[in-house]
Amino acid sequence: MELSAPRPSDTVERPYHPGPPPTAGSGGGTAGNPRRESSLEAFLDADAIQAQVSASEELARLGMWEEAYQRLRGAVQLLHGLDRPHHPVRVELDRLRREHAAAWEQARRDFLTASYNRRYLDDRLATLLDDPAVARVGMALAMVDIDHFKKVNDRYGHPFGDRVLQRVVAELDAALPEGAFCARYGGEEFALVLPGLGPDEAVAVCERARLRIDRYRWADLDPELRVTVSVGVAHTLTQPPDVEQLLVGADVLLYAAKGAGRNAVAYRREDGRVALAGPAGGRRDIPQPGTGDLARLA
């Protein structure tokens, strides 16, 4: 496959006519001469295109079809000038890609808190089933609920309550390690997904998140405001993880944390009994919901 360079008549200089010496931009060299610049670019493009085509043919001869296709694709882009960053088609394609990426990200986010939404949570949990880190050490999932949030809305109004929700999400996100994420499950309830963490690590992350919220300067919003959360964290080593069972287990433990006085992280010990993390571990009345199908959740 041969691509001919531009005809000589397109690039040959006009006959010389005596006149004043050329000045900058008046025809000396190619600067300021659109015809010469276009001709030079045409020669350069033709050489680059021919190089891509030749490479494509050689790769195809060696049976490297994918690489040959990429080379030929590059030749087509050069032929249409799409490799130039400011080419109108390239600019429009880049704009469409950015808009698509923004729309996709927006569809995965909760409009109020900017945390991930339930749709993203369901999709991401499905993809984590085959995650190598999950296969090695299992997966943890925590359910977080803001304590007495209805009282906040009733006393201060929903716009104020929205600010509290946004601040809680910011503190939760700040406590999460790389690879983990927070998603709004509904109302004032959030899910923390902790792939590749062991039971002790997951409990420690949740306790750190609870503590951040408990110690936040809520008085900056209102002198009498105090916000805490209750957390239930479940962990499974089952392969592949039973996501539905993990959600149920975390929810059961969340209500155990609430039943134990709130502002606590509840989890199951190796013997199956419910315990509370951190200072709350010294509380006496800790609900012990039946394990049943949850026995395999550590």
Side-chain angles (χ1 to χ4, degrees):
M1 184 186 299
E2 295 289 334
L3 295 178
S4 60
R7 292 174 299 174
S9 60
D10 290 336
T11 58
V12 67
E13 295 186 9
R14 295 178 181 275
Y16 173 75
H17 293 287
T23 58
S26 66
T30 61
N33 189 330
R35 182 179 178 86
R36 288 187 179 183
E37 290 176 355
S38 176
S39 299
L40 179 59
E41 289 179 358
F43 270 122
L44 294 176
D45 284 353
D47 289 343
I49 292 169
Q50 187 60 60
Q52 292 278 34
V53 171
S54 299
S56 174
E57 291 176 339
E58 180 63 20
L59 290 167
R61 186 182 67 80
L62 297 173
M64 303 171 68
W65 306 113
E66 179 64 25
E67 292 82 352
Y69 165 76
Q70 293 297 337
R71 290 283 187 167
L72 197 57
R73 184 170 179 268
V76 172
Q77 288 184 330
L78 286 169
L79 187 62
H80 292 282
L82 297 183
D83 63 314
R84 298 168 188 167
H86 301 297
H87 190 284
V89 176
R90 169 70 68 184
V91 171
E92 180 65 11
L93 286 174
D94 289 343
R95 183 186 67 80
L96 291 173
R97 288 193 189 99
R98 288 194 300 270
E99 289 184 356
H100 179 270
W104 173 243
E105 183 66 16
Q106 186 176 8
R108 305 190 303 174
R109 296 283 183 173
D110 174 64
F111 75 98
L112 175 61
T113 64
S115 65
Y116 288 109
N117 57 24
R118 181 71 178 272
R119 175 183 176 184
Y120 177 81
L121 173 66
D122 293 340
D123 291 346
R124 187 75 180 101
L125 285 174
T127 62
L128 284 172
L129 298 180
D130 299 321
D131 189 283
V134 172
R136 288 195 305 272
V137 296
M139 182 166 69
L141 187 146
M143 297 301 295
V144 181
D145 188 78
I146 303 176
D147 298 325
H148 302 300
F149 185 68
K150 184 178 183 301
K151 292 182 179 179
V152 175
N153 277 335
D154 290 345
R155 178 172 180 177
Y156 299 101
H158 288 277
F160 186 92
D162 291 346
R163 292 171 62 192
V164 171
L165 283 173
Q166 292 163 354
R167 189 67 254 169
V168 166
V169 168
E171 294 304 308
L172 290 174
D173 282 337
L176 296 179
E178 184 178 356
F181 67 91
C182 171
R184 191 177 184 186
Y185 198 74
E188 65 271 22
E189 197 168 11
F190 299 87
L192 304 182
V193 180
L194 309 166
L197 294 186
D200 294 341
E201 294 173 299
V203 170
V205 167
C206 292
E207 175 62 12
R208 184 164 65 245
R210 181 203 66 79
L211 200 58
R212 286 186 67 95
I213 294 169
D214 186 34
R215 292 179 175 177
Y216 182 75
R217 294 179 55 181
W218 296 105
D220 290 346
L221 297 181
D222 185 271
E224 298 182 6
L225 178 66
R226 189 192 175 196
V227 178
T228 62
V229 296
S230 296
V231 185
V233 54
H235 182 273
T236 182
L237 291 170
T238 303
Q239 294 300 322
D242 188 331
V243 172
E244 183 177 354
Q245 199 65 40
L246 198 60
L247 284 165
V248 171
D251 204 46
V252 168
L253 291 165
L254 167 62
Y255 282 95
K258 286 184 171 294
R262 293 183 169 84
N263 192 21
V265 174
Y267 65 98
R268 288 193 183 276
R269 301 185 316 200
E270 291 185 1
D271 61 5
R273 291 186 60 79
V274 177
L276 301 181
R283 297 178 189 175
R284 293 183 178 181
D285 298 325
I286 302 176
Q288 297 294 327
T291 56
D293 294 333
L294 306 179
R296 64 174 177 272
L297 294 175

